[in-house]
Amino acid sequence: MVDNNQCIFRVEGIDGGTELLNSPATFYANGISRELQIVSGDSQSVPVTTSLPKALRVRLVDENLAGIDDASIQFKVLSGDLQFSDSTTQQTDSQGFAQINAQFGPIAGKIVVEATATSFNSKVNFRLDAIPGSPSVLKKISGDEQV
């Protein structure tokens, strides 16, 4: 049973059908939950080869929503064309925040970036859109001089 981040286990000891001394026993295990949350940078839509206007920013919090400092956050591109401007592993600051800057590559499309609090196995996904830029050159391929 789980109640307010506390797991309660009831253990009964039986030996040949006879209850053992001090059985049943109840054990309590306090667990501290940690959650990675997206703060900003999700759902951005900008032209290809453009730097994201907002950094991909997360916050790692405990069960009381207090920031957890000095935790490693790993950023990874799951799909799409995106390059990071910084190291893909960032440390949370004293308030639990970590962020990374990035730039879209030349290929338009949907991009998914995963951020993981590596020590706590908590993950979030950023969903971004690299949209085609304006054409810079118009080039004739075929179809000229048709009658």
Side-chain angles (χ1 to χ4, degrees), residues 42-109:
D42 194 25
S43 301
Q44 296 183 74
S45 182
V46 294
V48 294
T49 69
T50 304
S51 293
L52 296 176
K54 294 181 184 175
L56 305 180
R57 186 171 169 86
V58 295
R59 186 170 191 223
L60 183 62
V61 296
D62 64 17
E63 72 278 3
N64 297 315
L65 300 180
I68 299 171
D69 69 336
D70 201 33
S72 292
I73 307 297
Q74 178 74 39
F75 292 88
K76 178 171 122 180
V77 178
L78 296 181
S79 65
D81 189 10
L82 182 87
Q83 292 82 40
F84 295 116
S85 306
D86 310 307
S87 168
T88 57
T89 300
Q90 298 290 315
Q91 297 300 118
T92 56
D93 63 17
S94 61
Q95 299 297 312
F97 293 101
Q99 69 182 35
I100 194 165
N101 294 300
Q103 179 175 333
F104 287 142
I107 300 171

